[in-house]
Amino acid sequence: MFSALADPTRRDIVARLAAGDATVNELAEPHEVTVQAVSKHIKVLQDAGLVSRSRDAQRRPCHLEAEVFDLMTKWIERYRREAEDRLLRLDALLGQMGEQPVTDTQGKEAAS
């Protein structure tokens, strides 16, 4: 999923689909690339499970799979909390170390 979102064109496609379903032609309009190139970007997003396509008569609209983003957000939040907890423990440890007197080992070696 993250590699699929690494490309700015694909991120823009996802942002546009967040507002509602759209066809490949509609998604290609603001970009200076071919419809085929946008179609390839959509294929990458489909392979990652972020976008699906359906058939509506002659239209083949693309649809954002929002629940996948919800799962990804929960996963990121879990690791963010773990990293935050580690940083808080490190901060507490560094605070304890700052309260302890520091011995001057360099001064003792120079005197010897």
Side-chain angles (χ1 to χ4, degrees), residues 38-59:
V38 171
S39 187
K40 287 181 182 181
H41 283 298
I42 291 169
K43 176 74 171 123
V44 171
L45 293 169
Q46 279 182 282
D47 291 345
L50 302 171
V51 171
S52 63
R53 293 182 74 181
S54 61
R55 187 173 296 277
D56 180 20
Q58 297 291 359
R59 292 183 73 220

Side-chain angles (χ1 to χ4, degrees), residues 42-110:
I42 291 169
K43 176 74 171 123
V44 171
L45 293 169
Q46 279 182 282
D47 291 345
L50 302 171
V51 171
S52 63
R53 293 182 74 181
S54 61
R55 187 173 296 277
D56 180 20
Q58 297 291 359
R59 292 183 73 220
R60 293 218 34 193
C62 298
H63 174 76
L64 183 66
E65 297 297 333
E67 54 277 351
V68 173
F69 283 95
D70 292 339
L71 290 171
M72 193 167 61
T73 301
K74 288 177 184 176
W75 183 85
I76 291 168
E77 181 61 23
R78 185 177 108 211
Y79 284 98
R80 186 199 62 77
R81 280 193 310 267
E82 287 179 13
E84 190 174 271
D85 289 343
R86 281 190 221 110
L87 287 173
L88 289 173
R89 287 194 307 270
L90 178 60
D91 189 43
L93 178 65
L94 292 174
Q96 290 173 356
M97 291 174 67
E99 295 171 4
Q100 296 176 357
V102 178
T103 56
D104 186 13
T105 56
Q106 288 181 342
K108 289 180 184 177
E109 291 174 9

Side-chain angles (χ1 to χ4, degrees), residues 11-30:
R11 286 194 305 270
D12 183 62
I13 291 170
V14 167
R16 298 228 11 243
L17 289 174
D21 293 357
T23 64
V24 175
N25 286 333
E26 292 167 341
L27 293 169
E29 284 175 11

